[in-house]
Amino acid sequence: MTAAERTEEHTVEIVDAQIHLWQGDGAPPHHRQQPYLIEDALAGMDAAGVQRAVNCPAIWDSAAHTYAVEAAVRHPDRFATLGWFPLDEHAGPASVDALLALPGMLGLRFMLAAPDAIAALTSGGLEWLWEAAQRHEAPVALMVLPEHLPLLDGIAGRFPGMRLLVDHLAVLPFLALPQAAAHFDGLLALAARPNIAVKASGVPSMATDAYPFRSTHDVLRRTFDAFGPERMFWGTDITRMRCTWRECVTAFTEEIPWLGGRDLELVMGRALRTWIGWH
């Protein structure tokens, strides 16, 4: 059976695990430098055959959360949100309560790569955050440095009712293979925790070849074998991709010979919607 036949045989709902919407300036150099508006995303999704997308409000735009709510209210069948707030002295359980009360807000997402965030993570200073997320039964997506992956194992063990998502397979955006996957033994070890999943997002950024990015297939197969289709979620982080949204889709749906049928449906969106409660 060809890849096209595998895709045609099963109606695959495609849900992007991570995009950013924003209106202001200040995007980092590895993302597009123009605002990425709701209308831009809808046009790109329609052209690529993407039904839904999870918006992670851009950390460089102070109004990104207001815009995320607007997107979810205007298009609740197209956008949902994993939101954030500054992890400063004002943050606490009430911050989680307030954030998750917003329309379309299904969970949390934090980048724990800045010095203050790293200090909080490594010192155990975020226990209140994990406790609040578990109380809400809310998913939490994290972008962490590869050396901090072992900490997620302990967090997942202490808070088994909280569902964690590791962004971008913990691959840093400027690295290409093989350096990009040097941490993979540590990442795959997390699969032993049933409440940890991974976003296979931004995969083309680590490729050493052009579309269909076959240089990434071994990494994806190792991830799939460890986490299974219920805990490996396709996504793009489209505003830093150098290929089209459609190519990001078909690199999975048509070009990976071992991914088809129910497994393909799960990886391309169904499993993500279950994990974050987007019903």
Side-chain angles (χ1 to χ4, degrees), residues 16-23 27-28 30-32 34-38 40-41 53-61 64 67-68 71 79-82 84 109 111 143 167-168 199 201 236-241 245:
D16 198 319
Q18 180 165 328
I19 69 167
H20 303 293
L21 299 175
W22 74 94
Q23 295 174 294
H30 56 289
H31 280 274
R32 64 177 266 166
Q34 302 80 28
Y36 198 63
L37 305 178
I38 294 169
D40 296 326
V54 178
N55 176 28
C56 299
I59 62 173
W60 53 86
D61 182 353
Y67 198 50
F79 299 112
T81 312
L82 298 181
W84 61 278
R109 189 255 176 176
M111 286 190 63
M143 185 66 199
D167 284 6
H168 311 321
K199 298 180 190 175
S201 46
T236 64
D237 206 12
I238 189 62
T239 49
R240 68 176 178 90
M241 293 297 99
W245 213 332

Side-chain angles (χ1 to χ4, degrees), residues 107-252:
L108 310 172
R109 189 255 176 176
F110 294 97
M111 286 190 63
L112 302 181
D116 289 349
I118 291 173
L121 174 65
T122 56
S123 68
L126 297 178
E127 295 295 285
W128 62 267
L129 177 60
W130 320 133
E131 290 171 358
Q134 179 162 266
R135 172 167 50 85
H136 281 279
E137 299 183 349
V140 181
L142 296 174
M143 185 66 199
V144 299
L145 299 178
E147 58 264 35
H148 296 145
L149 288 172
L151 296 175
L152 302 189
D153 179 73
I155 294 168
R158 293 194 302 278
F159 299 95
M162 179 183 63
R163 301 182 305 285
L164 287 173
L165 299 85
V166 180
D167 284 6
H168 311 321
L169 304 176
V171 173
L172 299 178
F174 305 108
L175 294 182
L177 293 168
Q179 293 88 348
H183 65 284
F184 252 57
D185 287 345
L187 176 70
L188 301 184
L190 298 179
R193 295 290 185 185
N195 56 330
I196 297 182
V198 292
K199 298 180 190 175
S201 46
V203 169
S205 72
M206 64 173 159
T208 57
D209 53 352
Y211 177 87
F213 316 117
R214 292 190 176 92
S215 62
T216 66
H217 283 191
D218 178 65
V219 166
L220 293 174
R221 186 60 196 250
R222 292 174 63 196
T223 305
F224 180 88
D225 288 346
F227 286 91
E230 292 87 358
R231 293 190 290 146
M232 172 178 158
F233 312 137
W234 171 85
T236 64
D237 206 12
I238 189 62
T239 49
R240 68 176 178 90
M241 293 297 99
R242 295 184 179 180
C243 58
T244 68
W245 213 332
R246 183 62 184 164
E247 287 174 329
C248 289
V249 171
T250 57
F252 274 62

Side-chain angles (χ1 to χ4, degrees), residues 1-10 253-254 261:
M1 182 179 292
T2 67
E5 289 170 336
R6 288 187 291 113
T7 304
E8 184 177 353
E9 184 180 10
H10 297 267
T253 61
E254 298 180 8

Side-chain angles (χ1 to χ4, degrees), residues 88-111:
D88 55 22
E89 67 275 12
H90 304 294
S95 306
V96 178
D97 299 341
L99 188 68
L100 293 178
L102 296 174
M105 196 70 61
L106 299 184
L108 310 172
R109 189 255 176 176
F110 294 97
M111 286 190 63

